[in-house]
């Protein structure tokens, strides 16, 4: 199993990034059909599988999907997206211990929802990557916490010694969804994509 991004998908991502970078005010309006492209869904499945996550509320595992046939499963999922009948299932809530004590709530979507979310990420990420500040490292492709540490180390060697550390309590649980969607809509005007994101935000 190769997790290398296939050339056709990489080409699409490069085009989206270049357009977004060249035109900061441009709003993308034809992206939904890319999300259910068979090659994008297939690659999204491989990426989701590589994370080796637990099953969601439906109890379906990757082994279950593969026993029934991945290709048929992905085709059916693509048809749901194409026909706009896809609806996300509830997220399974678990808690994991935090290093400093206490517990962190974690939401586990079903595999089908993880695959569609990953497909959407493959399409949307290049657009927003073009807008992000070079100083930002969290949740970005090709960047890691180690890269951020190297950057800080460089600043320390240059004589900058003040450090500000901030942690917003329950940040992801308290993001205002309406404002978040408005931010996304500054770049994405495809109503079907926005509806997809809104469904995920409202999933119980």
């Amino acid at each position: 199993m190769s997790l290398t991004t296939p050339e056709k998908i990489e080409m699409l991502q490069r085009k989206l990034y270049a357009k977004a970078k060249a035109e900061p005010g441009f709003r993308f309006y034809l992206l939904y059909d890319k999300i259910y492209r068979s090659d994008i869904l297939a690659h999204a499945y491989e990426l989701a599988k590589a994370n080796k996550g637990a099953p969601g509320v439906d109890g379906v595992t990757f082994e279950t999907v593969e026993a029934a046939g991945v290709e048929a499963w992905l085709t059916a999922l693509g048809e749901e997206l194409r026909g706009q009948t896809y609806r996300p299932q509830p997220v399974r809530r678990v808690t994991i211990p935090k290093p400093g004590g206490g517990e962190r709530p974690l939401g586990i979507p079903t595999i089908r929802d993880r695959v569609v979310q990953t497909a959407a990420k493959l399409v949307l990420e290049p657009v927003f990557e073009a807008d992000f500040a070079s100083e930002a490292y969290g949740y970005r492709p090709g960047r890691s916490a180690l890269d951020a540490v190297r950057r800080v180390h460089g600043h320390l060697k240059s004589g900058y010694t003040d450090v500000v550390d901030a942690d917003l309590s329950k940040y992801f649980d308290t993001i205002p969804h309406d404002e978040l969607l408005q931010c996304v809509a500054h770049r994405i005007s495809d109503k079907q994509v926005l509806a997809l994101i809104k469904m995920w935000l409202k999933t119980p």
Side-chain angles (χ1 to χ4, degrees):
M1 175 182 69
S2 173
L3 295 182
T4 305
T5 305
E7 190 177 342
K8 273 182 69 178
I9 300 175
E10 207 168 53
M11 193 182 303
L12 170 67
Q13 291 175 325
R14 281 198 299 267
K15 286 180 180 176
L16 291 170
Y17 178 86
K19 180 71 173 176
K21 199 71 175 171
E23 299 183 41
F26 185 80
R27 296 176 74 211
F28 293 79
Y29 54 92
L30 285 175
L31 295 177
Y32 185 73
D33 63 324
K34 316 293 187 292
I35 292 172
Y36 60 73
R37 246 174 52 177
S38 59
D39 59 333
I40 288 178
L41 282 176
H43 186 53
Y45 177 84
E46 295 299 342
L47 292 171
K49 182 183 174 184
N51 286 332
K52 300 176 181 175
V57 293
D58 59 0
V60 173
T61 64
F62 287 101
E63 290 76 18
T64 309
V65 173
E66 288 177 11
V70 178
E71 195 173 327
W73 186 85
L74 286 172
T75 299
L77 185 56
E79 288 300 326
E80 281 186 49
L81 288 163
R82 185 180 287 105
Q84 296 176 50
T85 59
Y86 163 82
R87 296 293 180 272
Q89 294 173 281
V91 172
R92 183 162 72 91
R93 179 71 84 166
V94 297
T95 55
I96 55 174
K98 293 172 73 171
E103 292 183 322
R104 183 190 306 279
L106 186 70
I108 303 177
T110 60
I111 288 174
R112 67 192 290 279
D113 292 333
R114 265 180 270 172
V115 169
V116 180
Q117 288 167 5
T118 304
K121 178 178 180 282
L122 287 168
V123 174
L124 299 177
E125 188 171 63
V127 173
F128 294 101
E129 262 299 304
D131 294 338
F132 290 154
S134 61
E135 293 82 10
Y137 287 87
Y139 304 100
R140 295 184 67 182
R143 292 177 175 229
S144 67
L146 188 57
D147 294 319
V149 170
R150 288 192 187 105
R151 183 75 177 265
V152 170
H153 186 249
H155 285 313
L156 289 170
K157 288 202 304 187
S158 299
Y160 296 95
T161 56
D162 290 341
V163 176
V164 177
D165 181 29
D167 184 16
L168 301 179
S169 176
K170 298 181 180 176
Y171 178 63
F172 286 106
D173 290 336
T174 57
I175 294 174
H177 292 171
D178 289 342
E179 286 87 340
L180 175 61
L181 279 169
Q182 284 172 20
C183 288
V184 173
H186 282 305
R187 271 304 206 177
I188 309 296
S189 63
D190 188 321
K191 290 180 181 178
Q192 291 162 319
V193 172
L194 294 174
L196 200 56
I197 295 170
K198 191 171 183 178
M199 280 195 292
W200 287 326
L201 290 173
K202 291 185 178 297
T203 299

